[in-house]
Amino acid sequence: MMKSGIQSSRFKVGRESSRIARRLKAQRISPALFVCFCLAVRVGAQTNSPPADAWATDFVRFPSAIDTNQIRLTGFETLRAEVNAGRLKILCSSQPPNPNAGMIVVASEDEPGHWAVRNWRSYPMSLQVDHWETSVPVDDVDVPLVYFVRMITATETNLSPMRVVRPRTAGLEEPSRVFWPFLEGFETGMEGWSLLAGTPVVASLKTDPTAKNGHAALRVSLPVGKSSVTVATTRVRGWQILQNGATGLRVWLRTREGMGQARFTLFANAFETNQVLSQSSIEPKLDHRWQKIELPFTSFSKLPLGNVDWFTIEFIGTGPRDFLIDDLQLLGRWKIEME
């Protein structure tokens, strides 16, 4: 398919060159100028496609918790992505290797952009003789992966600049794992979740062993004297909704004790000038029992699903009160039920 695409591109360039050549001849333009034009067309055709793996050259924004004073190029010159045995690997040479250091890849699938709400995930790297490496899962070979590395030693933490890899261009022919609509179970922590800016500072967000399934849920604490608290996540992504034909979201909620209520909002292009937000018409009452909440996307009016990048849950009650969240997943044609 790639070969035929190249041939098609060459045919289009050649046809355009011939047409313009006739026009130049009619206007008595010199052959030398025409040769220069052909070279420019050819170079343009060859450089239009972005590279398989390269340093990000356009505007980028690191996660808000990152100290950008720690960014260094020195020490990360060999940072790169490679495809090996159907897996996308991130590698970085280490000379000399430091077995006491820690290296972590921080990566997110999505086109460059959505910087305020990218869905970052962390992947520890392992030291392999003279280099660090880890495999990063790929759900769609046509969705770019933006990544950087955090190196931690006993005395300092350094960050690499960002790179962008395009899995298909890099040689990955199919996703590295089968699609799974389960988005979050909090078994590895609460990365990707945060309290909404402006939430009372005494509000808290922690993992809790009172899980619907597995070993952990997320506990959102409403402070004394307050009536609402909002938690937000980057786990719900528009490209994933469209790719898999998802029809909605499912999440399990409860209180630790007492009553409460939940409201749900989806954002598209969050914090950008073209931001769109929509609140679901579904607002369930909650108590101390786990409750399965299903939110069809049709309950969110006039929302461009392909650009969704942020999901918030507002808990309403009389503080102090604890709310629990577990097992966020996509709804669709598949037969998967988390009970």
Side-chain angles (χ1 to χ4, degrees):
M1 180 175 291
M2 183 177 292
K3 184 177 180 180
S4 64
I6 293 173
Q7 290 172 339
S8 176
S9 297
R10 288 174 178 171
F11 174 75
K12 291 177 182 177
V13 171
R15 184 172 58 186
E16 180 69 9
S17 298
S18 298
R19 185 168 70 248
I20 296 176
R22 291 192 295 271
R23 188 184 307 166
L24 293 175
K25 184 177 181 181
Q27 296 176 2
R28 298 181 179 180
I29 302 298
S30 74
L33 287 178
F34 175 63
V35 170
C36 291
F37 169 80
C38 290
L39 290 175
V41 169
R42 180 175 297 178
V43 170
Q46 292 175 344
T47 58
N48 280 342
S49 299
D53 179 52
W55 299 108
T57 55
D58 296 330
F59 171 81
V60 300
R61 188 188 306 168
F62 282 76
S64 58
I66 291 292
D67 180 1
T68 53
N69 291 321
Q70 297 173 336
I71 298 173
R72 305 281 187 275
L73 180 59
T74 304
F76 300 106
E77 296 90 344
T78 61
L79 179 62
R80 64 199 184 278
E82 294 180 0
V83 172
N84 188 346
R87 303 285 292 179
L88 182 67
K89 293 190 173 184
I90 308 298
L91 305 97
C92 189
S93 300
S94 178
Q95 294 292 342
N98 181 359
N100 297 317
M103 291 275 277
I104 299 171
V105 171
V106 185
S108 65
E109 290 178 283
D110 220 326
E111 288 288 342
H114 300 277
W115 295 115
V117 288
R118 288 194 72 88
N119 188 35
W120 298 105
R121 292 182 182 269
S122 298
Y123 304 94
M125 304 181 79
S126 58
L127 183 59
Q128 305 292 322
V129 185
D130 63 347
H131 71 277
W132 296 86
E133 73 171 57
T134 192
S135 294
V136 178
V138 173
D139 296 304
D140 187 331
V141 296
D142 293 313
V143 176
L145 189 85
V146 178
Y147 67 97
F148 63 95
V149 167
R150 178 188 289 122
M151 181 172 65
I152 304 169
T153 68
T155 58
E156 61 181 350
T157 296
N158 290 326
L159 307 173
S160 75
M162 285 190 191
R163 290 181 68 85
V164 181
V165 58
R166 299 179 183 273
R168 186 185 294 278
T169 308
L172 193 64
E173 298 179 349
E174 58 185 22
S176 58
R177 61 185 179 187
V178 177
F179 167 69
W180 180 245
F182 191 74
L183 300 178
E184 185 64 86
F186 305 104
E187 300 302 302
T188 59
M190 57 183 195
E191 185 179 35
W193 294 75
S194 61
L195 290 172
L196 192 66
T199 298
V201 293
V202 289
S204 66
L205 201 62
K206 298 178 180 178
T207 55
D208 190 286
T210 311
K212 176 64 180 68
N213 289 294
H215 303 288
L218 184 66
R219 185 177 77 215
V220 186
S221 296
L222 177 63
V224 62
K226 301 298 180 180
S227 59
S228 73
V229 62
T230 301
V231 63
T233 183
T234 57
R235 291 293 186 244
V236 183
R237 313 305 294 179
W239 66 265
Q240 200 170 42
I241 292 171
L242 294 187
Q243 178 204 48
N244 300 290
T247 59
L249 297 169
R250 174 185 294 151
V251 65
W252 289 83
L253 303 177
R254 59 165 286 188
T255 65
R256 288 291 292 268
E257 58 182 22
M259 301 293 294
Q261 186 177 356
R263 291 177 181 161
F264 309 94
T265 303
L266 278 172
F267 291 70
N269 301 309
F271 303 104
E272 303 293 341
T273 56
N274 57 340
Q275 172 182 285
V276 177
L277 62 91
S278 179
Q279 184 174 303
S280 174
S281 57
I282 298 171
E283 298 183 0
K285 304 290 185 182
L286 307 175
D287 58 26
H288 66 282
R289 297 166 295 185
W290 281 110
Q291 183 178 164
K292 178 175 63 177
I293 313 297
E294 295 195 346
L295 305 167
F297 289 134
T298 53
S299 72
F300 300 88
S301 63
K302 299 180 181 178
L303 187 70
L305 286 177
N307 294 322
V308 164
D309 50 13
W310 213 40
F311 176 52
T312 66
I313 306 175
E314 179 186 10
F315 292 108
I316 303 164
T318 302
R321 185 141 302 163
D322 289 336
F323 296 87
L324 298 175
I325 307 171
D326 206 2
D327 294 349
L328 174 66
Q329 70 174 88
L330 294 171
L331 292 174
R333 63 189 181 278
W334 42 86
K335 301 293 184 181
I336 297 176
E337 183 76 17
M338 299 297 295
E339 297 287 2

